[in-house]
Amino acid sequence: MNTKAPIYVTQPDLPPLEEFMPYLQQIWDSKILTNGGPFHKQLEAELADFLGVKHISLFTNATIALVTALQSLRISGEVITTPYSFVATAHSLLWNGIKPVFVDIDPQTFNLDPACIEAAITPQTTAIMPVHCYGRPCDVEAIQRIADDYNLKVIYDAAHAFGVKQQGQSVLQHGDLSILSFHATKVFNTFEGGAIISPDARTKQHIDHLKNFGFVNETTVVATGINGKMSELNAALGLLQLQHVGKAIARRKEIDALYRSLLSDVKGIRLMEPPPDTDVNCSYFPILVEPDYPLARDVLYQQMKDAGINGRRYFYPLISDFPMYRGLPSASASLLPVAKATSSRIICLPIYPALSDEDVARVAALIRTPSLPVAAPAAVMASTQAQHAGTAA
Ligand SMILES: *Cc1c(COP(=O)(O)O)cnc(C)c1O
């Protein structure tokens, strides 16, 4: 029986509570709770600075931000997107009455394959919605070329890409808009929260109207807006989190390096190469359980669970397999072979700043020496030995 404390795929990073109390006092004193208050303004400014972008609009969460981004660009018809993501990516399209068109991903990066994008364009296509999966940048140049050639908008779901830079430049400045998530499970969290990165002040202003019911002043409503505003409580927490996030990402990088040193020689376990010229945030540590690993992915996943190690199969099932999507012509598994294979092999290992080196070693040890199934009589001796070796380790 496992007696050690369970390890989860992530654990939210929180600042010391006493550091938050002065912010709360200020809110209680001012009685400004929302509607673009002082903490909201300050967080927009500090985040823009930290991320290396010019125009940022805070939101209540990334899903509402995605829905609003599509509204702001008046996207309709068909949008090409990835099946290998969190379900909110495609849900934001359905909430706008847009037809998602799923195309396959690149086997190295798990991001949209530009060649597949181009092949899926029809006269109804109006935009591309790629995801920087696990915070690894998409092929932004190829995607922009296609968008320019076919006059399409590009809206990046950048929920995983907080702080990611390529050749020193923020990955968030590509495309027409980029959307961040500050959900509890993300690298930078405000409990719930999100943001849209705009290329210019005019676009930001339009988005700011849309997230506030379409109000431009006390009496004028110019658009069918929604309520997507971030509260002062979340914004204040964000300001405090921002002071700690550099340290948190640095610790994630150490854990990433430790996993790599412990797992790179395990037969049948594939790690993702770090992307070239990129300052990553190590938001996830994905491994692929390949056919030459002694166990099937789900068997390893269950063994980890039984040992109190809660990895997650991000992203299994594919979005295209959920009931509201699987009837779409583009959802057919035969059209998405790379996404399908990746989804059936992926496990994201626990990674978060408070994870100890000992726990990383415990996760790696289980993957290195799993309990082997007793398959055929000839294999019994060998697997029993391996099992003993595994428990002794
Ligand atoms: C977390 C996530 C979202 C949704 O973010 P919320 O802030 O929870 O709405 C959207 N897309 C991706 C890729 C995500 O990982």
Side-chain angles (χ1 to χ4, degrees), residues 61-63 66 85-86 88-89 131 157 159-160 181 183 186 193 284:
N61 62 56
T63 304
L66 283 165
S85 179
F86 182 62
T89 309
V131 177
D157 180 340
H160 300 176
S181 171
H183 182 255
K186 305 300 205 269
Y284 298 88

Side-chain angles (χ1 to χ4, degrees), residues 142-187:
I143 290 172
Q144 195 57 54
R145 261 198 309 278
I146 295 168
D148 291 343
D149 285 352
Y150 294 89
N151 194 23
L152 306 175
K153 301 286 187 192
V154 182
I155 298 138
Y156 281 103
D157 180 340
H160 300 176
F162 184 89
V164 174
K165 294 195 170 167
Q166 229 176 356
Q167 283 138 17
Q169 296 291 308
S170 172
V171 77
L172 303 171
Q173 59 188 357
H174 296 289
D176 293 276
L177 297 169
S178 286
I179 287 78
L180 286 169
S181 171
F182 308 147
H183 182 255
T185 54
K186 305 300 205 269
V187 163

Side-chain angles (χ1 to χ4, degrees), residues 16-60:
L17 182 58
E18 59 274 16
E19 288 185 23
F20 194 42
M21 298 317 271
Y23 292 84
L24 288 180
Q25 189 63 56
Q26 216 171 309
I27 294 172
W28 258 246
D29 291 344
S30 73
K31 308 223 170 8
I32 301 173
L33 311 186
T34 185
N35 286 6
F39 287 134
H40 183 284
K41 283 200 185 73
Q42 195 184 338
L43 183 58
E44 285 195 342
E46 288 194 18
L47 270 177
D49 193 44
F50 182 90
L51 297 170
V53 298
K54 284 218 176 66
H55 307 282
I56 181 163
S57 302
L58 298 176
F59 271 79
T60 183

